[in-house]
C-alpha cells in the first residue's frame, strides 16, 4: 500500500528527496544512443562568481522544460552545463576579497601567486551557482560540467587564436579603444553601456595666433582640450575658408595648433568649428590619421592627468581637471557660456564609470569575413530567432560590424599565445612557446572572456579533438538566452561554429523576457527590488517559482514580477495535491490508468467523454505551444484544464458515481486515473518535483522508475484516445451544462443566499436537442446546484410558475432561480431600495467632482482617471440593483 499523502503539500522535503534520487541515479546523463534522435542544449555559462538571480531562474527553467519534454518524447537528450571564468568580474571579486581578508592587492602578490589565489577562491566559492541550479531542478548532465579555463577548453582557445592569426584575421595594432579606468583594461564596444547624463556644452574662445580674433569651440569634455592637435572647419564653410592653414594659440598650453579643412566639421552644427583630440575621441582619431596630426595622450591608465597635460594638472582626476580647466578659462576671459545638455555617455559595464577613449596597442579580430556566413545562416532560415524581430537587430550589427578588441590588461584568463623577441623585434604566435633560443617573453595580456565563450557549443564537447559527443550532439538544437548578449555571444557563436566546425551551432534561438518589478523597473540590488530566488524557493517551493515565472512571461514582452505572484504556482500545486489526495482516498490505481484498458467506450457518460476530449485538445495545444516556444501559453492551457475543467468540474461531477450513488465507480476511477496520470506527465517538465512525488504516491510509477522516462502525451503516444474524442456535440453540450450550473450558482450568490439552502431552478432549453440532453443530466445538475427542485423544458419560468425569478441567458438556454420562499421579498426590496438611494448619492457626488474644473486641472492624471473609473463602476452597480428590484416587482 502506498504511503498516504499528507494533508498539506510541503515542497522543501519533497524537492530535496527527488533531487537526491535524480542525481544519485544519474537520470540526467546524456547518452549517445544510435537508436534515438539526439536533442541537445548548451547552458549559457553563468559567471563563476555568480549567484542565482531571477534571470537565471527564467532562463534555466525554460531550458529544463525543453530537455524534459524532449526526453519524454523519446529523444536522447543532453543538457551541457558549465561556468565562465568571467575575467574582469572574477579578478575584481578576488582582489576585493584579498584586500578585505589578507590586506594585499594583486600587484603585491605578483601574477603567479595572484592566479593561484584566484584558483583557490574558485575552488571554495565558484560552485555556488551550480548548486543553486540543482536546487531549481535543472536536469543538466552534471558529469559533463565544464569551465572555460579547463585544460581542454584552453587548448581550443589557443588553437582558434593561432588559426585566425595565420589567416590574417587577428592582428596587433595601435588603435582607438574603450578603456575602463577602474578595471585598468581595454573593453570591446559591446562591453560599453550608454547612459543619459546631464552635462554641459562649454563654449570657449580659441585665439588666432595672428591676433585677428578667435574661433568659438563647444565641447562636453573641457579636460581633453589639453590634448588638442587641431581645429577642424568644413572646407565648404565660407565663414572659415580664409582661416584654413592658420594657427591657433591653444589656451592653457604653450602649443600652437593648425586650423584644418575636414568634412568631419558640420557647418550646421554649433559654430561649425570642431576641436580635434586624436588621442581621446574615436572620430578625432580618424581625422588625426588622415591629417598626420600628433596623438597626445594626456591621461594615465587610471584616468588621472599625466605630464602631457601640463605641470599644474598632473595627477588630477579627469573630472577634477575639467572643473579646473573651466575655472581657468573663465579667469582668462575665454569662456563664452555653458549650456545645459543631456547626452549619452559610455560606461564600463563592469566598472560602472565613464569609459575613456584612448589610443593603445591591443589585439584585434577583423570580423567582416567571419560575419558573412553568419548573416546568411539566419537569412536562409538555417537558424531561427524567437521572437523573430531580433533578426533585424542581429543583421544591423553584423552588417556594420567593427573589429573586435580581444586583449585585456588583467591576469585572470587565457593568456595570449604570442611571444616577443626584444632583440630581433620578432613576434611568434603558436600553441606553445618558441623552441628557438632567444630572449622570448610572452604577451602579458589575456583574451576577452567572450573569446572562450564563442567556442562553447563545440569546445564543451571536446573540440578540437574528435569526440563521439560532437559527432552525435553537435549541432545543438535550441539556445535559450537573453537579448542583451545577442552581440557578445549569440552572433559570435554562430560565426565560430561556421568557421571552425563548418556547421551552425544551434537551430533555434529563444530570447527570454526582461524581468522587471511591478513598477516596471529593471531588477537591481541598488533599487532593493531584486529578490533572492533561494528565499522565494524556501517560501513557495521551486515548482511554484518555476511555474509562476513562466506563466507571467509572454513571448517578447517584459515580465512584471513580484514574489506574491508565486502564490499562483503554489496554489496550483496545492490544487493538484488535493485532487490526488481525493483520488488516493478511494483505493489503489485502476487497471486502465495507463491506457484506458478495461474501459468500455459505449458505457462512458457525457462528463467522461467530455474530459477525455478536453484532455486530448489540451495535449495538442500544449505540444503546439512548446513547438513554437510559447511557454507561457502552454502553462495557461495546463492551468485552465487542471484547475477548472478537471478539478472544479469533472471531479465534482464524478463524486456521485465514485461514492457509489449512481453509475460505475470502477469506470469513473479508471477515467479519473487516466486523465490524472496524463496531467502529471503533461505538467512534469514545468513542475518536476510535485509531479514525480504524486506519480509515485498514486502508484502510477514504480519505486525504481521516474516520471521523466514516461512517454509525453501526444504525438501518437495516446492512441487509445482516438476511440473517445470524436463526439464534438457532447463537448459542446457538456460545456453548456457547466455554464448553466455556473449561472445558477451566480444567481444564488447575487442574492446572498446560503450555499447550503435548497433552491428551485428552471432551465428553458434553447432547442429540443438541448432539452433532451439536459433531462438526462438533471440528477447531477441538481447536486451541483444544491437544488431541491430542477425542471427543464421549452417553456419560460413565468409560463409554469409564479413569483419572482431572476435569470441568466447562456449559450444553450436560460437559467431561472425561483425566489419564492428563498428570500424575504419585501425585506430584500427594502434593502435594495436603500442601496439604490446610497448609490445615486455617490454618483451625484462623483459627477460633481468630475465637473469641477479646479479638480480636473490640479489633480494628478491618475487620480482623475480613477475617479472616472469609479463613476463607471457606480453606474454599473446602480443598473444591477435596479434590475434586481425589477425582478422582485414581478409577481412579488
Amino acid at each position: 500500500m502506498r504511503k498516504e499523502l499528507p494533508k498539506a503539500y510541503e515542497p522543501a522535503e519533497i524537492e530535496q528527496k527527488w533531487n537526491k534520487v535524480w542525481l544519485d541515479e544519474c537520470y540526467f546523463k546524456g547518452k549517445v544512443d544510435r537508436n534515438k534522435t539526439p536533442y541537445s542544449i548548451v547552458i549559457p555559462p553563468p559567471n563563476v562568481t555568480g549567484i542565482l538571480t531571477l534571470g537565471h531562474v527564467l532562463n534555466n527553467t525554460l531550458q529544463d522544460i525543453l530537455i524534459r519534454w524532449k526526453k519524454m518524447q523519446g529523444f536522447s537528450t543532453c543538457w551541457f552545463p558549465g561556468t565562465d571564468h568571467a575575467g574582469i568580474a572574477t579578478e575584481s571579486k578576488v582582489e576585493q576579497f584579498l584586500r578585505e581578508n589578507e590586506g594585499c592587492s594583486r600587484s603585491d602578490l605578483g601574477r603567479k601567486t595572484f592566479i593561484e589565489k584566484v584558483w583557490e577562491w574558485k575552488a571554495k566559492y565558484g560552485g555556488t551557482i551550480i548548486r543553486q541550479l540543482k536546487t531549481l531542478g535543472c536536469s543538466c548532465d552534471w558529469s559533463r560540467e565544464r569551465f572555460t579555463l579547463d585544460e581542454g577548453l584552453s587548448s581550443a582557445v589557443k588553437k582558434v587564436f593561432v588559426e585566425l592569426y595565420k589567416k590574417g584575421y587577428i592582428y596587433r595594432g595601435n588603435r582607438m579603444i574603450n578603456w575602463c579606468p577602474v578595471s585598468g583594461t581595454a573593453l570591446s564596444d559591446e562591453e560599453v553601456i550608454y547612459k543619459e547624463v546631464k552635462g554641459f556644452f562649454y563654449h570657449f574662445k580659441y585665439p588666432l595666433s595672428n591676433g585677428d580674433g578667435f574661433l568659438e569651440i563647444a565641447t562636453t569634455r573641457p579636460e581633453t582640450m589639453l590634448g588638442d592637435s587641431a581645429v577642424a572647419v568644413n572646407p565648404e564653410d565660407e565663414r572659415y575658408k580664409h582661416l584654413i592653414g592658420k594657427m591657433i594659440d591653444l589656451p592653457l598650453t604653450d602649443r600652437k595648433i593648425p586650423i584644418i579643412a575636414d568634412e568631419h566639421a558640420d557647418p550646421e552644427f554649433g559654430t561649425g568649428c570642431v576641436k580635434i583630440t586624436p588621442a581621446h575621441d574615436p572620430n578625432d582619431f580618424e581625422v588625426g590619421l588622415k591629417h598626420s596630426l600628433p596623438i597626445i595622450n594626456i591621461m594615465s591608465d587610471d584616468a588621472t592627468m599625466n605630464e602631457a597635460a601640463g605641470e599644474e594638472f598632473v595627477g588630477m582626476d579627469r573630472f577634477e581637471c575639467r572643473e579646473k580647466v573651466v575655472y581657468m578659462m573663465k579667469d582668462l576671459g575665454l569662456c563664452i557660456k555653458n549650456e545645459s545638455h543631456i547626452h549619452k555617455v559610455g560606461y564600463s559595464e563592469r566598472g560602472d564609470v565613464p569609459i575613456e577613449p584612448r589610443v593603445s596597442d591591443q589585439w584585434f579580430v577583423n570580423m567582416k569575413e567571419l560575419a558573412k556566413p553568419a548573416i546568411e545562416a539566419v537569412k536562409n532560415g538555417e537558424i531561427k530567432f524567437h521572437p523573430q524581430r531580433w533578426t533585424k537587430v542581429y543583421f544591423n550589427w553584423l552588417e556594420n560590424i567593427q573589429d573586435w578588441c580581444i586583449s585585456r590588461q588583467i591576469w585572470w584568463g587565457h593568456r595570449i599565445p604570442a611571444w616577443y623577441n626584444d632583440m630581433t623585434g620578432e613576434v611568434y604566435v603558436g600553441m606553445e612557446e618558441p623552441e628557438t633560443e632567444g630572449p622570448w617573453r610572452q604577451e602579458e595580456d589575456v583574451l576577452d572572456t567572450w573569446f572562450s565563450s564563442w567556442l562553447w557549443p563545440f569546445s564543451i564537447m571536446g573540440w578540437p579533438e574528435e569526440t563521439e559527443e560532437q559527432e552525435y550532439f553537435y549541432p545543438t538544437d535550441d539556445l535559450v538566452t537573453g537579448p542583451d548578449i545577442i552581440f557578445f555571444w549569440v552572433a559570435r557563436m554562430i560565426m565560430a561554429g561556421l568557421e571552425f566546425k563548418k556547421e551552425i551551432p544551434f537551430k533555434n534561438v529563444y530570447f527570454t523576457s526582461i524581468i522587471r518589478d511591478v513598477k516596471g523597473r529593471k531588477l537591481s540590488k541598488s533599487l532593493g527590488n531584486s529578490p533572492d530566488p533561494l528565499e522565494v524557493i524556501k517560501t513557495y517551493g521551486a515548482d511554484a517559482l518555476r511555474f509562476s515565472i513562466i506563466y507571467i512571461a509572454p513571448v517578447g514582452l517584459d515580465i512584471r514580477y513580484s514574489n506574491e505572484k508565486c502564490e499562483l504556482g503554489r496554489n496550483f500545486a496545492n490544487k493538484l495535491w488535493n485532487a490526488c489526495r481525493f483520488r488516493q482516498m478511494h483505493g489503489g490505481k485502476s487497471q486502465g490508468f495507463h491506457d484506458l484498458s478495461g474501459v468500455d467506450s459505449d458505457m462512458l457518460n457525457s462528463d467522461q467523454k467530455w474530459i477525455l476530449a478536453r484532455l486530448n485538445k489540451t495535449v495538442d495545444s500544449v505540444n503546439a505551444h512548446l513547438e513554437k516556444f510559447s511557454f507561457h501559453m502552454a502553462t495557461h492551457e495546463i492551468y485552465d484544464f487542471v484547475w477548472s475543467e478537471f478539478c472544479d468540474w469533472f471531479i465534482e461531477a464524478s463524486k456521485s458515481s465514485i461514492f457509489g450513488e449512481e453509475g460505475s465507480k470502477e469506470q469513473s476511477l479508471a477515467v479519473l486515473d487516466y486523465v490524472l496520470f496524463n496531467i502529471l506527465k503533461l505538467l512534469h517538465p514545468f513542475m518536476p518535483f510535485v509531479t514525480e512525488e504524486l506519480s509515485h504516491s498514486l502508484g502510477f510509477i514504480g519505486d525504481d522508475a521516474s516520471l521523466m522516462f514516461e512517454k509525453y502525451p501526444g504525438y501518437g503516444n495516446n492512441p487509445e484516445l482516438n476511440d473517445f474524442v470524436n463526439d464534438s456535440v457532447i463537448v459542446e453540450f457538456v460545456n453548456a451544462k457547466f455554464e448553466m450550473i455556473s449561472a445558477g450558482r451566480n444567481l444564488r450568490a447575487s442574492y446572498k443566499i446560503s450555499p447550503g439552502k435548497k433552491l428551485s431552478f428552471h432551465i428553458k432549453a434553447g432547442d429540443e436537442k438541448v432539452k433532451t440532453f439536459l433531462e438526462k443530466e438533471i440528477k447531477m445538475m441538481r447536486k451541483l446546484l444544491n437544488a431541491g427542485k430542477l425542471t427543464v423544458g421549452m417553456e419560460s419560468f413565468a409560463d409554469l410558475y409564479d413569483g419572482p425569478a431572476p435569470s441568466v441567458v447562456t449559450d444553450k438556454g436560460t437559467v431561472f432561480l425561483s425566489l419564492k420562499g428563498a428570500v424575504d421579498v419585501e425585506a430584500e426590496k427594502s434593502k435594495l431600495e436603500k442601496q439604490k438611494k446610497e448609490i445615486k448619492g455617490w454618483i451625484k457626488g462623483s459627477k460633481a467632482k468630475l465637473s469641477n474644473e479646479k479638480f480636473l486641472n490640479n489633480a494628478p492624471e491618475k487620480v482623475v482617471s480613477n475617479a472616472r473609473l469609479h463613476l463607471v463602476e457606480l453606474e454599473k452597480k446602480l443598473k444591477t440593483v435596479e434590475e434586481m428590484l425589477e425582478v422582485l416587482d414581478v409577481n412579488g
Side-chain angles (χ1 to χ4, degrees):
M1 184 67 183
R2 293 281 170 177
K3 182 183 173 185
E4 185 180 338
L5 287 167
K7 187 172 183 181
Y9 170 51
E10 298 294 343
E13 184 182 340
I14 287 167
E15 289 170 2
Q16 287 173 11
K17 176 179 86 173
W18 287 113
N19 235 333
K20 186 175 187 309
V21 170
W22 294 336
L23 294 171
D24 288 351
E25 298 298 326
C26 300
Y27 284 160
F28 303 152
K29 188 163 183 61
K31 296 172 184 172
V32 174
D33 185 343
R34 303 295 175 183
N35 296 316
K36 290 184 177 182
T37 304
Y39 177 87
S40 59
I41 294 178
V42 293
I43 198 171
N47 288 356
V48 71
T49 59
I51 58 171
L52 198 67
T53 66
L54 284 175
H56 292 123
V57 169
L58 173 64
N59 187 299
N60 288 281
T61 297
L62 293 173
Q63 292 174 79
D64 196 47
I65 289 169
L66 290 171
I67 281 288
R68 289 178 183 269
W69 175 51
K70 290 294 182 181
K71 183 190 288 283
M72 294 178 76
Q73 283 185 332
F75 289 80
S76 182
T77 61
C78 192
W79 183 7
F80 291 84
T83 51
D84 194 296
H85 67 277
I88 296 173
T90 304
E91 184 154 311
S92 301
K93 190 99 173 175
V94 177
E95 271 207 276
Q96 180 186 352
F97 177 84
L98 290 171
R99 280 195 303 271
E100 293 172 357
N101 293 276
E102 299 183 21
C104 62
S105 67
R106 71 168 189 160
S107 54
D108 295 332
L109 297 173
R111 183 173 196 140
K112 184 174 182 292
T113 304
F114 176 74
I115 289 175
E116 287 171 357
K117 290 285 185 183
V118 182
W119 279 108
E120 287 173 16
W121 184 93
K122 188 255 179 190
K124 190 170 183 181
Y125 302 105
T128 301
I129 195 163
I130 295 297
R131 290 191 296 273
Q132 293 171 333
L133 288 172
K134 290 175 182 177
T135 302
L136 188 63
C138 294
S139 55
C140 297
D141 181 350
W142 298 109
S143 68
R144 298 180 189 273
E145 183 188 338
R146 302 297 298 273
F147 179 52
T148 50
L149 277 177
D150 281 353
E151 188 176 336
L153 275 70
S154 296
S155 175
V157 167
K158 282 197 283 189
K159 180 177 174 63
V160 164
F161 186 94
V162 172
E163 284 191 14
L164 292 180
Y165 180 80
K166 287 179 178 176
K167 289 185 80 167
Y169 290 177
I170 285 182
Y171 64 94
R172 183 169 172 81
N174 191 251
R175 292 188 48 180
M176 178 65 65
I177 51 96
N178 308 298
W179 183 264
C180 174
V182 169
S183 305
T185 182
L187 303 174
S188 68
D189 291 342
E190 292 72 38
E191 291 169 292
V192 178
I193 309 298
Y194 286 89
K195 300 181 183 182
E196 283 199 343
V197 173
K198 289 181 180 178
F200 292 94
F201 255 132
Y202 300 91
H203 291 253
F204 295 150
K205 296 177 182 177
Y206 273 30
L208 293 166
S209 297
N210 61 11
D212 287 346
F214 62 87
L215 291 181
E216 183 179 340
I217 303 295
T219 180
T220 58
R221 304 182 66 211
E223 68 279 10
T224 63
M225 67 177 286
L226 303 172
D228 286 356
S229 293
V231 171
V233 297
N234 193 286
E236 303 303 319
D237 193 332
E238 295 294 336
R239 294 171 295 175
Y240 305 119
K241 269 188 175 180
H242 66 290
L243 294 177
I244 295 170
K246 306 287 187 190
M247 301 299 285
I248 292 279
D249 286 339
L250 182 62
L252 310 184
T253 75
D254 58 2
R255 292 190 292 114
K256 294 182 185 295
I257 58 175
I259 300 171
I260 62 172
D262 197 281
E263 291 79 4
H264 174 58
D266 182 357
E268 304 297 321
F269 184 75
T271 63
C273 303
V274 181
K275 64 188 279 300
I276 303 299
T277 320
H280 295 281
D281 181 275
N283 294 318
D284 292 3
F285 177 69
E286 297 300 326
V287 174
L289 291 179
K290 184 176 171 184
H291 294 272
S292 301
L293 298 174
I295 297 172
I296 305 167
N297 180 8
I298 56 170
M299 292 188 203
S300 302
D301 289 356
D302 61 356
T304 58
M305 311 309 287
N306 63 22
E307 289 78 4
E311 189 175 336
E312 58 188 310
F313 301 106
V314 172
M316 293 181 75
D317 174 77
R318 54 184 165 163
F319 300 115
E320 185 186 358
C321 179
R322 178 179 300 178
E323 291 179 13
K324 183 162 185 176
V325 166
V326 173
Y327 173 80
M328 293 177 72
M329 290 294 279
K330 284 180 180 176
D331 197 46
L332 292 169
L334 296 176
C335 185
I336 300 170
K337 61 181 177 180
N338 300 340
E339 292 178 311
S340 292
H341 176 60
I342 295 176
H343 61 136
K344 287 191 173 180
V345 173
Y347 274 68
S348 164
E349 186 186 34
R350 289 290 173 200
D352 197 32
V353 294
I355 57 102
E356 193 57 50
R358 66 185 298 192
V359 177
S360 176
D361 280 329
Q362 301 289 341
W363 290 86
F364 298 87
V365 184
N366 185 322
M367 305 297 285
K368 284 188 168 47
E369 290 304 313
L370 294 170
K372 288 175 183 176
I375 292 170
E376 187 56 32
V378 175
K379 272 189 178 172
N380 66 22
E382 277 186 275
I383 299 174
K384 293 181 172 63
F385 286 179
H386 311 268
Q388 204 215 351
R389 61 186 170 85
W390 288 107
T391 56
K392 186 176 179 182
V393 178
Y394 174 85
F395 290 142
N396 184 57
W397 185 70
L398 283 179
E399 286 164 1
N400 299 280
I401 198 163
Q402 301 299 308
D403 289 2
W404 175 14
C405 176
I406 56 171
S407 46
R408 298 291 179 271
Q409 288 67 53
I410 57 175
W411 290 344
W412 175 246
H414 297 98
R415 195 166 176 182
I416 291 174
W419 287 261
Y420 304 99
N421 188 318
D422 292 327
M423 289 186 66
T424 63
E426 185 183 355
V427 178
Y428 172 81
V429 171
M431 295 292 288
E432 305 294 338
E433 61 182 299
E435 293 179 359
T436 56
E437 290 186 13
W440 293 102
R441 94 187 137 77
Q442 188 175 356
E443 169 66 72
E444 293 287 325
D445 292 354
V446 301
L447 288 161
D448 179 7
T449 296
W450 297 101
F451 197 87
S452 52
S453 302
W454 75 324
L455 313 177
W456 187 249
F458 49 91
S459 65
I460 201 173
M461 297 185 196
W463 189 91
E465 302 300 322
E466 291 184 8
T467 63
E468 193 178 31
E469 287 85 353
Q470 280 178 80
E471 194 270 325
Y472 185 70
F473 285 118
Y474 188 91
T476 66
D477 291 87
D478 301 321
L479 175 74
V480 179
T481 188
D484 52 329
I485 54 175
I486 188 170
F487 310 133
F488 284 122
W489 196 46
V490 178
R492 288 174 181 161
M493 280 192 292
I494 295 172
M495 287 187 261
L498 291 166
E499 174 69 16
F500 300 107
K501 288 288 292 178
K502 309 305 177 190
E503 283 185 280
I504 56 172
F506 31 71
K507 298 153 195 164
N508 294 287
V509 183
Y510 177 82
F511 292 105
T512 59
S513 306
I514 294 171
I515 306 177
R516 300 182 183 276
D517 66 12
V518 287
K519 295 179 181 177
R521 302 174 302 176
K522 286 188 78 170
L523 302 185
S524 71
K525 286 181 183 176
S526 60
L527 289 174
N529 65 348
S530 183
D532 177 356
L534 294 183
E535 289 302 315
V536 179
I537 288 172
K538 279 182 189 174
T539 306
Y540 297 97
D543 278 336
L545 175 56
R546 287 167 61 116
F547 190 85
S548 301
I549 206 164
I550 304 303
Y551 190 92
I552 62 173
V555 177
L557 299 176
D558 291 355
I559 297 171
R560 296 294 179 98
Y561 176 86
S562 67
N563 284 349
E564 292 70 30
K565 291 189 177 182
C566 291
E567 289 175 10
L568 177 140
R570 181 173 63 185
N571 293 343
F572 185 51
N574 284 333
K575 185 86 166 178
L576 186 62
W577 185 268
N578 289 332
C580 291
R581 282 190 72 243
F582 169 79
R583 171 59 189 92
Q584 199 181 52
M585 284 189 258
H586 296 283
K589 67 178 183 291
S590 308
Q591 175 191 339
F593 81 94
H594 208 281
D595 57 4
L596 287 174
S597 58
V599 174
D600 184 348
S601 61
D602 294 332
M603 297 300 292
L604 294 180
N605 64 32
S606 61
D607 295 331
Q608 291 161 353
K609 290 177 181 176
W610 171 79
I611 197 65
L612 291 171
R614 289 298 306 130
L615 170 65
N616 197 50
K617 177 69 174 169
T618 302
V619 165
D620 286 348
S621 296
V622 169
N623 281 301
H625 287 311
L626 290 177
E627 292 286 359
K628 295 184 294 186
F629 300 93
S630 184
F631 299 95
H632 86 294
M633 286 303 298
T635 60
H636 281 248
E637 289 279 355
I638 297 173
Y639 182 91
D640 292 344
F641 175 72
V642 174
W643 190 289
S644 177
E645 296 179 323
F646 180 67
C647 293
D648 287 354
W649 288 122
F650 179 69
I651 289 181
E652 289 303 310
S654 300
K655 282 181 178 177
S656 57
S657 58
I658 290 172
F659 288 120
E661 296 169 14
E662 61 173 311
S664 165
K665 176 179 179 178
E666 290 73 21
Q667 180 166 286
S668 289
L669 289 176
V671 173
L672 192 150
D673 284 351
Y674 177 80
V675 176
L676 189 50
F677 189 33
N678 275 282
I679 285 171
L680 295 174
K681 289 186 285 187
L682 200 64
L683 187 56
H684 179 71
F686 304 87
M687 303 179 88
F689 296 105
V690 70
T691 52
E692 187 82 89
E693 175 71 11
L694 292 172
S695 297
H696 282 80
S697 296
L698 291 173
F700 296 156
I701 298 288
D703 291 339
D704 57 350
S706 171
L707 187 59
M708 72 181 77
F709 297 114
E710 289 293 318
K711 290 181 179 178
Y712 199 74
Y715 295 96
N717 290 333
N718 305 78
E720 62 279 351
L721 274 179
N722 297 333
D723 297 330
F724 299 97
V725 298
N726 296 322
D727 197 340
S728 60
V729 174
I730 283 290
V731 173
E732 185 182 344
F733 278 15
V734 173
N735 282 338
K737 175 182 71 174
F738 290 142
E739 185 187 3
M740 290 173 182
I741 293 169
S742 291
R745 289 172 172 175
N746 290 337
L747 285 169
R748 179 192 288 268
S750 65
Y751 285 90
K752 296 182 173 57
I753 302 170
S754 164
K757 188 176 180 70
K758 296 286 185 184
L759 299 177
S760 296
F761 291 90
H762 173 70
I763 297 174
K764 179 189 177 185
D767 57 39
E768 286 290 343
K769 287 182 179 178
V770 173
K771 174 176 171 287
T772 302
F773 171 75
L774 292 176
E775 284 173 341
K776 296 175 185 174
E777 305 291 321
I778 280 180
K779 193 171 182 182
M780 185 275 286
M781 292 180 73
R782 196 164 62 227
K783 188 177 184 67
L784 292 184
L785 283 167
N786 194 24
K789 181 181 179 183
L790 172 62
T791 56
V792 175
M794 298 301 295
E795 306 87 356
S796 183
F797 180 87
D799 297 334
L800 300 171
Y801 310 103
D802 59 2
S807 63
V808 174
V809 178
T810 70
D811 186 45
K812 297 290 183 186
T814 306
V815 181
F816 295 87
L817 165 63
S818 174
L819 295 180
K820 191 174 182 180
V823 296
D824 182 331
V825 174
E826 292 306 318
E828 191 70 20
K829 276 177 161 180
S830 175
K831 184 177 76 175
L832 290 170
E833 287 289 359
K834 184 181 177 184
Q835 281 184 22
K836 179 180 174 182
K837 186 177 179 181
E838 286 176 346
I839 294 169
K840 279 187 169 181
W842 294 335
I843 288 173
K844 185 178 178 182
S846 184
K847 283 183 174 178
K849 185 192 244 185
L850 287 167
S851 61
N852 185 330
E853 290 296 326
K854 190 174 179 183
F855 169 73
L856 294 175
N857 293 332
N858 297 330
E861 189 179 332
K862 190 170 183 181
V863 172
V864 175
S865 174
N866 287 340
R868 289 195 173 108
L869 288 172
H870 182 56
L871 176 59
V872 171
E873 288 301 316
L874 288 173
E875 288 173 335
K876 280 184 185 175
K877 197 174 282 188
L878 178 63
K879 186 180 179 186
T880 301
V881 169
E882 288 175 339
E883 287 173 350
M884 291 172 77
L885 277 166
E886 188 180 340
V887 167
L888 292 174
D889 284 334
V890 177
N891 298 320

